[in-house]
Amino acid sequence: MLAREERHRRRIEEDRLRPPSPPPIVHYSEHECSQLGEKIKDDSKFPEAVRVLLTWVERGEVNRRNANNFYSMIQSSNSHIRRLMNEKAAHEKEMEEAKEKFKNALAAILVQFEQIVSVFHAASKQKAWDHFSKAQRKNLDMWRKQAEEIRNIHNEELMGIRREEEMEMSDDDMEDAPESKDSDDSGPLAQVEALREENDSLRCQLDAYRNEVELLKQEQSKAHPPHSEEDATRQQQLSFLQQALQGMQKQLLKIRDELKQREMELEKSTEDKQQLESQIQSLKDRIQAFPASHTLQLERPEWEDRGSDENTSHANESAASAVVSCSQEKESVPDKGPPSPVKSEREALLVGIISTFLHVHPFGASIEYICSYLQRLDTKISTTEVETLLGRLPYTFKQELTGVGASLEKRWKFCGFEGIKTA
């Protein structure tokens, strides 16, 4: 009997502590729909309003008569995305400022740790160390080790933050690198195709902006006279969309002009190629004609043969000079100079990739950072190979020391713009 009463009392206590169940969601009606539309536009009531809208849609409340009302509520929900993105951007900005503030404070703390460790090192020298007692020396040595350990922990933390920032920058560079490589390797035809695709994409975006502007205009004309804040918000959205529309139109016209220019350059290069091929063919025909004319002149007298030989040699010389001049126009062969520090095409590729990488790192990068970037492209690349190659090119790359104390670091920089004047 007592156990039954205890269970009953416990069940009552659990029911009392259980949170109340949410109120049931009402069914769709014109009145509830108008109220829900106002709640969706209110930031404080937006989560509850979206939950009701989701329940209505899942219940199957949408039909042909009220489809426009549901479309308006869904469109209002979509407009809430812009406010959420602005709020997210503001929080990200605050987070970046807090990170920068923390990094600066950590750097200042690390400088003071360096000064404290320097004091311990100065006290450990013989001219000062001999004047301390044995107990004092023991305490000084223990304090020095503790200070160095804490200094190293803070230094590793600061270096980890810097490495994360550099890795984020390198990831952005690797995303941009394939695009730049493709643009360098592609010919005029590929560039024209890329411009056409960009033109189509901009046209689609332009149509989307136009549709959104028309929807805002229709909604503003059909709705009741809004409050001042809502009116200002809609006017601001409308002006923003109109400015974006104008910018897209200008960009579209610019892309079209560039597309026409590329097509004209492509046609011109095709005509030049055909003209050069016809010139080369005519020169080949002239060269083949010289031996035939030489055999026809064998039966002439000796004094005529001398003259004909001289004329033939002059003709051969002129034809050869024409062929040489034509070949020089097509492909010039450089004179042999001093041996190049770049010994293979692989090393030339490495120099190009490293130059591009260091060009976007104006403050330089360590050899480990450079090799980690290169090993993403080829895992066989070693640190010794890269450092030896950089050392053979003093007019292109130079090594500098940065930092103080324990944060001292060797960094490689690209100096080709200055080295071209002295090389």
Side-chain angles (χ1 to χ4, degrees):
M1 188 68 180
L2 294 175
R4 185 182 301 172
E5 291 179 356
E6 180 68 21
R7 286 198 300 270
H8 182 66
R9 187 183 61 80
R10 190 178 301 170
R11 188 180 299 111
I12 293 174
E13 186 69 19
E14 290 177 356
D15 292 340
R16 188 177 65 83
L17 296 176
R18 185 182 296 119
S21 59
I25 296 176
V26 297
H27 289 275
Y28 173 83
S29 65
E30 294 292 335
H31 177 69
E32 294 293 337
C33 178
S34 61
Q35 289 185 350
L36 187 64
E38 295 298 328
K39 289 182 180 178
I40 289 176
K41 296 175 183 178
D42 190 354
D43 295 338
S44 60
K45 301 178 181 179
F46 180 78
E48 179 184 357
V50 168
R51 186 170 62 86
V52 175
L53 178 60
L54 176 62
T55 305
W56 285 356
V57 175
E58 289 179 346
R59 280 179 182 174
E61 301 279 359
V62 184
N63 53 41
R64 188 176 296 275
R65 290 183 302 173
N66 59 17
N68 291 331
N69 295 334
F70 274 96
Y71 179 79
S72 299
M73 290 187 290
I74 294 172
Q75 187 178 16
S76 300
S77 302
N78 183 62
S79 301
H80 196 74
I81 295 176
R82 187 178 291 109
R83 187 191 69 81
L84 294 177
M85 293 302 294
N86 293 333
E87 186 176 353
K88 177 177 176 291
H91 288 306
E92 287 179 349
K93 185 178 179 181
E94 292 177 359
M95 184 179 67
E96 293 296 330
E97 291 177 354
K99 282 184 179 180
E100 189 67 24
K101 186 176 179 181
F102 173 73
K103 187 176 70 173
N104 295 334
L106 189 61
I109 292 173
L110 186 61
V111 170
Q112 296 180 18
F113 270 115
E114 290 287 348
Q115 293 174 350
I116 295 172
V117 172
S118 299
V119 171
F120 282 119
H121 283 294
S124 300
K125 293 183 179 179
Q126 187 174 3
K127 59 182 179 181
W129 189 257
D130 294 340
H131 299 286
F132 295 111
S133 64
K134 187 175 182 181
Q136 290 174 341
R137 292 177 185 175
K138 185 177 181 181
N139 289 333
L140 287 173
D141 189 50
M142 181 181 64
W143 293 342
R144 177 182 60 80
K145 292 179 179 178
Q146 291 177 353
E148 287 179 349
E149 184 177 357
I150 298 173
R151 187 270 316 272
N152 293 335
I153 293 173
H154 283 75
N155 190 18
E156 286 296 328
E157 187 175 0
L158 182 60
M159 294 301 293
I161 295 173
R162 290 176 178 173
R163 279 195 295 268
E164 288 180 0
E165 293 178 352
E166 291 179 352
M167 290 299 291
E168 290 178 359
M169 186 179 296
S170 68
D171 291 339
D172 295 337
D173 296 340
M174 288 195 66
E175 290 178 0
D176 296 339
E179 297 179 1
S180 61
K181 183 178 179 181
D182 293 340
S183 61
D184 293 339
D185 295 339
S186 60
L189 186 59
Q191 293 178 1
V192 170
E193 291 297 330
L195 288 173
R196 285 177 180 170
E197 292 179 359
E198 187 175 359
N199 189 9
D200 295 337
S201 176
L202 288 174
R203 188 181 293 108
C204 293
Q205 294 179 15
L206 189 61
D207 294 337
Y209 276 119
R210 284 176 178 169
N211 294 333
E212 193 169 355
V213 170
E214 291 297 329
L215 289 174
L216 283 174
K217 287 181 178 179
Q218 292 176 5
E219 183 181 357
Q220 189 174 7
S221 62
K222 292 180 180 179
H224 297 289
H227 301 290
S228 59
E229 295 181 357
E230 295 179 359
D231 193 10
T233 304
R234 290 188 178 180
Q235 289 293 337
Q236 185 177 3
Q237 291 179 356
L238 187 60
S239 62
F240 171 75
L241 289 172
Q242 288 177 349
Q243 291 176 2
L245 184 63
Q246 293 176 359
M248 295 291 291
Q249 288 176 346
K250 291 181 181 179
Q251 191 174 2
L252 186 61
L253 292 175
K254 183 179 179 181
I255 293 294
R256 286 179 179 175
D257 295 338
E258 189 173 356
L259 180 61
K260 291 180 180 178
Q261 185 178 359
R262 294 285 185 180
E263 288 177 350
M264 292 174 62
E265 291 177 357
L266 182 61
E267 292 178 357
K268 185 178 179 181
S269 61
T270 305
E271 292 177 357
D272 293 341
K273 181 180 178 181
Q274 293 177 355
Q275 187 177 1
L276 285 174
E277 288 178 353
S278 62
Q279 290 179 359
I280 293 173
Q281 186 63 35
S282 63
L283 285 173
K284 288 181 179 179
D285 295 340
R286 289 176 59 185
I287 293 172
Q288 291 176 358
F290 279 118
S293 61
H294 182 70
T295 56
L296 291 174
Q297 293 175 357
L298 290 176
E299 298 178 358
R300 295 185 180 182
E302 184 178 356
W303 60 274
E304 291 182 356
D305 290 343
R306 290 187 193 137
S308 62
D309 290 339
E310 293 176 357
N311 293 332
T312 303
S313 62
H314 286 302
N316 287 330
E317 290 176 358
S318 62
S321 62
V323 174
V324 169
S325 63
C326 181
S327 63
Q328 288 177 350
E329 291 178 358
K330 296 295 290 181
E331 181 179 2
S332 59
V333 180
D335 295 334
K336 293 183 178 179
S340 174
V342 181
K343 300 179 180 179
S344 64
E345 186 176 1
R346 172 184 170 82
E347 291 187 353
L349 288 172
L350 285 176
V351 171
I353 295 172
I354 296 171
S355 301
T356 306
F357 176 76
L358 292 179
H359 183 63
V360 297
H361 292 78
F363 300 105
S366 62
I367 188 67
E368 293 82 6
Y369 185 25
I370 297 173
C371 289
S372 67
Y373 175 75
L374 293 175
Q375 286 172 356
R376 293 186 180 183
L377 306 175
D378 186 3
T379 56
K380 298 179 182 179
I381 296 175
S382 62
T383 306
T384 307
E385 177 187 3
V386 176
E387 193 167 12
T388 304
L389 179 61
L390 295 177
R392 294 206 308 264
L393 300 168
Y395 295 111
T396 309
F397 306 102
K398 64 180 179 180
Q399 191 179 44
E400 293 183 354
L401 295 176
T402 59
V404 292
S407 62
L408 193 64
E409 185 180 9
K410 294 181 180 180
R411 289 174 174 261
W412 285 93
K413 292 186 176 181
F414 178 74
C415 61
F417 296 112
E418 295 82 9
I420 192 66
K421 301 176 182 179
T422 58

